[in-house]
Amino acid sequence: MTIKVTFPDGAARDYARGTTGTTVVEGISKSLAKKTVAMRWNGVLSDLSDALEADGKIEFVTRDSGSADVLELIRHDTAHVLAEAVQELWPTTQVTIGPVIENGFYYDFKRDEPFSEDDFPAIEKKMAEIIDRGAAFTKEIWSRDQAKAFFNTRGENFKVELVDAIPADQSLKMYKQGQWIDLCRGPHMRTVKDIGNAFKLTKVAGAYWRGDSNNPVLSRIYGTAFATKEELDAYLHMIAEAEKRDHRKIGQEMDLYHFQPEAQGSVFWHPKGYVLYNQMETYIRRRLNSSGYVEVKTPQLMSSKFWEASGHWGKYRENMFVVPDEVPGTEEEGPVLSGKGELMALKPMNCPAHIQIFNQGIKSYRDLPLRMAEFGCCHRNEAHGALHGLMRVRQMTQDDAHIFCREDQIQSETEHFVHLLYSVYAHMGFSDVVIKLATRPEKFGGTIERWDAAEKALGDALRATGYDFEIAEGEGAFYAPKLEFHLKDAIGRSWQVGTLQLDYVLPERLDATYVAEDGSRKYAVMLHRAILGSLERFIGMMIESYAGKMPMWLAPVQVVVATIVSEADETAEKLVRQLRSAGIRAELDARNEKINYKVREHSVGKVPLMFVVGKREAEEGTVSVRRLGTEGQKVVPFMDALVELMAEATPPDLKAKAA
RNA sequence: GCUGCCGUAGCUCAGUGGUAGAGCACCCCCUUGGUAAGGGGGAGGCCGACAGUUCAAUCCUGUCCGGCAGCACCA
């Protein structure tokens, strides 16, 4: 009985059925066999030692190919070796799972005494030893009972749970490397030696068993591995460089904002940071105005009764700041609060308030769509461990808006929004946007028909815009599907910024109706949408993406006029006045310091432009223009420099109009 | 909130069971210097908070607060 094996170049050969990939590659060439660590059999990444049972296509995965397959295999194998090393060092440790992730791998352990990074050298040394021993990976298919009995006797309770979780129609694969054995779906390389020496443990952290906070916390060790030491070093260097762009670091260096414990998670915007903030807000306001939005402002503090009606009191209260509506006691002794005051809450969202405005008067179908925007300052009592610089705060300002529309307007409004959002992101310098369509969760409100229609409307709208998107299965809100727009920070963490959420529920709860063409009352459909998400987070993303070197229109200080000699002070002062009256954010540096010193300081401070004035320039009416990030300078008439700067400082949306 | 690590001057960081140090920044003086740190001097700290151990705690222990990484949650 023979089978036909087809090679990537299209050639085919016959082999006895049951021939292994190893035999096939060894039959081709010794040198190819030497570097082949796995294969793709009919497109599926597989153990090289797998027997080939039918006709198919084979591709060999060589260790030096630099392919994603090789990285995946190396990292997966390294995770196994990590687990073996840990159990060899601390035999009572239970192993759980150890998957490959972006840029590396991790392995979750259960150990009474959690790991610390101080354990890394010992673990890494043991891993090197294991790799050196060079055990082969071998695969065995076990029965469910056999596997459970095996793990039970070893006290591996988590593995027993995993065995139970594997669907009955799937076979259980056990991979052995020397004496160590693990339940694993594979595949693996030939031997642990194929891993090489380019691996490193990077961090430890707690993680819940199966990602559920009701479960025990496991100790997770993260690591990474590459095919070569050079690639590992390059990766570590890249991460170190990226960390320099951390907005928390740059925010301090550039004196943009700060946090302090008395207002945990709330930003103190410094003058320079607030320039940035205001520029962003003004820009968005212009974009919304010209896109048919109206702007409103709603109360910060509203009665709990109001939040009961909206449903937030029941579902969202643990994230709300609640404030009693009473005069606090002022006696030295005695309680500040009686506990009897009616409760109010700081708004965590703007939507219910916008419905109150919508509900004033009677709306006609002619009024729809009504696009109501607010720079809404919201407070959310976020878990302390979730706070993260500007990215995750407790007080934030959303560039929020609610579009009240008819069902048949959902798709066109969504398209309109997505185009606006992409135009904004392009102006902000972001092109790498990940869109997710979050679909019906397990627990949902409303009918399946309505969900299907809503998901279809959002999907169709996205397809009409031509942007790619992923489906985030089951991650929709309770009441409707949503679109999420994600960007990545300096070290590759993904943050949701923009959003569009469909909502049928709140209009019904709060009675947001309009009079339809036929005179009947109908509930409006509500689209919650934000482009930046929150100004705080988006500014954080901007700082990281530009490494603090903001484009001219956003730069807190656009130009510093610096003198070389004190004879030029008067001229420099005059230039700063002229720049400022032209709307340029200019500062004077007439300190008694050398020009080298001033150039360095403002370069470090990421000021995009310097106008240097010495004796010569002062006499000639010129400035020596130095641009951040470039060497050298050019001397030009001041008025020319001013005109050029004004053009460059024009926000991108206004620039486009002028052109 | 959970797990681990961390908390010394405005910033970056040394350091010790006997109440503290550097560089930069800040202030003063000298220097007027042509594109990434000129020189000298000075001031600056309840060593995160509170307890405990000790003759003695910034250092050891505990609790709390805050920060960092990840988890969970989320814009």
Side-chain angles (χ1 to χ4, degrees):
Chain A
M1 192 62 179
T2 61
I3 56 166
K4 180 184 280 201
V5 174
T6 310
F7 296 91
D9 63 0
R13 261 203 246 174
D14 289 340
Y15 290 91
R17 185 165 155 182
T19 300
T20 65
T22 314
T23 308
V24 172
V25 72
E26 279 171 352
I28 294 171
S29 101
K30 248 188 188 159
S31 58
L32 180 64
K34 201 173 168 193
K35 58 186 187 181
T36 298
V37 292
M39 63 179 169
R40 270 193 179 272
W41 177 240
N42 291 323
V44 180
L45 192 60
S46 309
D47 294 334
L48 194 59
S49 57
D50 277 358
L52 312 180
E53 301 291 353
D55 293 356
K57 268 190 76 177
I58 199 166
E59 285 170 77
F60 297 112
V61 177
T62 56
R63 195 178 181 287
D64 58 1
S65 65
S67 68
D69 284 348
V70 172
L71 269 187
E72 165 114 16
L73 288 162
I74 289 176
R75 288 168 180 174
H76 189 187
D77 289 8
T78 312
H80 274 237
V81 169
L82 165 63
E84 182 181 355
V86 164
Q87 287 202 313
E88 213 170 304
L89 290 165
W90 299 282
T92 58
T93 307
Q94 291 186 56
V95 293
T96 66
I97 56 164
V100 173
I101 53 174
E102 199 179 358
N103 298 323
F105 61 88
Y106 66 78
Y107 210 110
D108 283 349
F109 301 96
K110 176 67 181 173
R111 185 182 162 216
D112 292 338
E113 192 185 326
F115 298 100
S116 98
E117 291 187 15
D118 297 339
D119 297 323
F120 284 2
I123 300 173
E124 285 174 342
K125 190 167 162 238
K126 183 60 77 181
M127 289 169 71
E129 266 173 53
I130 292 167
I131 290 170
D132 217 39
R133 281 185 228 147
F137 284 105
T138 54
K139 176 168 57 184
E140 294 172 11
I141 307 294
W142 284 21
S143 75
R144 217 152 277 271
D145 291 342
Q146 192 184 359
K148 278 170 79 170
F150 173 79
F151 286 125
N152 264 321
T153 54
R154 301 198 156 207
E156 297 277 14
N157 308 324
F158 294 97
K159 284 289 184 191
V160 174
E161 252 190 76
L162 287 176
V163 171
D164 281 332
I166 293 174
D169 59 335
Q170 275 179 35
S171 56
L172 289 190
K173 289 181 249 177
M174 301 291 286
Y175 275 86
K176 234 182 212 174
Q177 61 208 54
Q179 293 308 303
W180 198 78
I181 187 160
D182 194 9
L183 171 73
C184 177
R185 74 168 75 87
H188 285 278
M189 298 189 286
R190 298 165 303 184
T191 76
V192 292
K193 256 212 159 88
D194 289 331
I195 292 171
N197 63 352
F199 65 89
K200 185 176 168 58
L201 302 182
T202 51
K203 56 200 171 195
V204 278
Y208 298 108
W209 167 236
R210 309 196 124 189
D212 186 335
S213 56
N214 297 311
N215 288 340
V217 176
L218 306 172
S219 192
R220 174 173 297 178
I221 297 180
Y222 285 89
T224 191
F226 287 84
T228 66
K229 205 90 182 164
E230 289 69 36
E231 287 168 77
L232 173 64
D233 290 343
Y235 170 75
L236 296 174
H237 181 255
M238 188 269 288
I239 293 292
E241 285 301 306
E243 280 170 358
K244 293 181 187 161
R245 306 208 316 257
D246 190 314
H247 74 282
R248 294 163 298 186
K249 201 171 154 66
I250 290 176
Q252 184 181 63
E253 286 165 3
M254 291 180 70
D255 191 19
L256 301 177
Y257 64 88
H258 85 271
F259 289 95
Q260 64 188 54
E262 292 82 355
Q264 201 191 1
S266 300
V267 189
F268 289 79
W269 286 104
H270 294 11
K272 283 179 185 162
Y274 202 51
V275 167
L276 193 46
Y277 183 105
N278 273 329
Q279 288 299 317
M280 295 287 287
E281 184 179 297
T282 307
Y283 166 88
I284 291 291
R285 178 172 287 125
R286 274 197 311 270
R287 298 304 309 271
L288 293 182
N289 278 341
S290 60
S291 300
Y293 286 76
V294 290
E295 187 177 341
V296 299
K297 197 75 183 173
T298 61
Q300 211 60 41
L301 203 52
M302 284 180 276
S303 162
S304 61
K305 300 269 187 312
F306 180 75
W307 299 110
E308 278 164 27
S310 73
H312 290 87
W313 198 250
K315 284 217 180 68
Y316 204 74
R317 196 169 61 218
E318 63 173 1
N319 284 305
M320 291 167 72
F321 288 100
V322 174
V323 181
D325 183 10
E326 65 167 290
V327 178
T330 53
E331 306 293 322
E332 292 259 331
E333 310 281 320
V336 175
L337 297 171
S338 69
K340 289 176 195 152
E342 292 281 310
L343 295 179
M344 305 188 80
L346 289 167
K347 65 174 172 184
M349 296 171 187
N350 309 298
C351 18
H354 287 186
I355 291 182
Q356 305 315 302
I357 295 179
F358 180 85
N359 283 354
Q360 295 299 113
I362 294 172
K363 293 292 179 294
S364 150
Y365 71 93
R366 294 171 199 275
D367 297 321
L368 307 185
L370 175 58
R371 309 184 184 111
M372 191 186 292
E374 175 173 4
F375 290 96
C377 177
C378 296
H379 288 81
R380 296 183 186 175
N381 199 345
E382 302 286 356
H384 287 199
L387 300 176
H388 185 99
L390 293 178
M391 304 301 196
R392 190 81 180 267
V393 292
R394 301 212 295 182
Q395 182 195 104
M396 62 172 155
T397 301
Q398 298 179 313
D399 63 324
D400 202 5
H402 295 93
I403 300 171
F404 297 90
C405 67
R406 305 189 310 252
E407 191 130 13
D408 64 309
Q409 292 171 322
I410 292 173
Q411 191 174 326
S412 60
E413 283 304 306
T414 302
E415 282 176 46
H416 177 256
F417 170 71
V418 172
H419 284 301
L420 176 61
L421 174 138
Y422 264 86
S423 158
V424 169
Y425 287 6
H427 282 164
M428 299 300 167
F430 291 105
S431 52
D432 192 10
V433 186
V434 174
I435 309 180
K436 294 181 186 174
L437 169 57
T439 59
R440 193 177 69 235
E442 276 179 38
K443 284 188 188 170
F444 62 94
T447 64
I448 293 211
E449 291 72 46
R450 197 173 224 186
W451 269 91
D452 288 347
E455 286 174 12
K456 183 171 184 304
L458 291 185
D460 286 349
L462 276 181
R463 276 182 283 272
T465 63
Y467 296 112
D468 288 336
F469 62 98
E470 301 169 7
I471 304 284
E473 205 67 58
E475 292 190 13
F478 171 76
Y479 43 86
K482 59 182 178 179
L483 300 182
E484 299 176 358
F485 300 85
H486 295 253
L487 298 176
K488 284 201 163 93
D489 71 9
I491 63 167
R493 285 176 293 221
S494 179
W495 295 91
Q496 185 186 322
V497 280
T499 183
L500 182 142
Q501 282 175 237
L502 251 175
D503 188 355
Y504 298 108
V505 173
L506 210 53
E508 292 186 15
R509 278 195 85 110
L510 297 178
D511 208 28
T513 61
Y514 64 93
V515 179
E517 266 181 290
D518 61 5
S520 66
R521 283 263 182 174
K522 287 210 162 94
Y523 288 114
V525 176
M526 205 174 170
L527 301 180
H528 308 247
R529 41 105 302 166
I531 297 173
L532 307 182
S534 82
L535 275 106
E536 287 80 3
R537 176 176 293 180
F538 205 90
I539 290 171
M541 300 299 299
M542 297 279 287
I543 293 170
E544 301 210 352
S545 121
Y546 285 107
K549 296 174 189 160
M550 308 311 289
M552 190 60 82
W553 70 285
L554 290 169
V557 177
Q558 293 167 320
V559 60
V560 166
V561 179
T563 54
I564 295 174
V565 291
S566 46
E567 282 173 274
D569 287 3
E570 215 173 296
T571 310
E573 278 169 37
K574 204 177 93 197
L575 298 187
V576 168
R577 277 198 299 277
Q578 279 181 262
L579 284 159
R580 286 186 177 163
S581 60
I584 297 296
R585 297 185 289 275
E587 282 186 7
L588 175 69
D589 186 352
R591 290 174 303 170
N592 177 13
E593 295 291 352
K594 292 210 163 122
I595 194 61
N596 283 316
Y597 183 90
K598 295 183 185 182
V599 165
R600 178 186 151 76
E601 190 170 286
H602 298 118
S603 299
V604 169
K606 301 179 172 63
V607 176
L609 218 50
M610 282 185 77
F611 289 174
V612 174
V613 187
K615 198 171 165 195
R616 213 156 54 229
E617 288 82 357
E619 282 165 2
E620 291 171 352
T622 56
V623 287
S624 168
V625 179
R626 187 191 167 92
R627 189 169 281 271
L628 180 63
T630 63
E631 281 180 31
Q633 56 279 329
K634 56 174 186 181
V635 178
V636 297
F638 170 70
M639 286 313 293
D640 292 1
L642 173 60
V643 168
E644 197 186 325
L645 173 50
M646 283 173 69
E648 198 181 346
T650 304
D653 56 319
L654 300 178
K655 225 180 246 180
K657 243 175 241 169

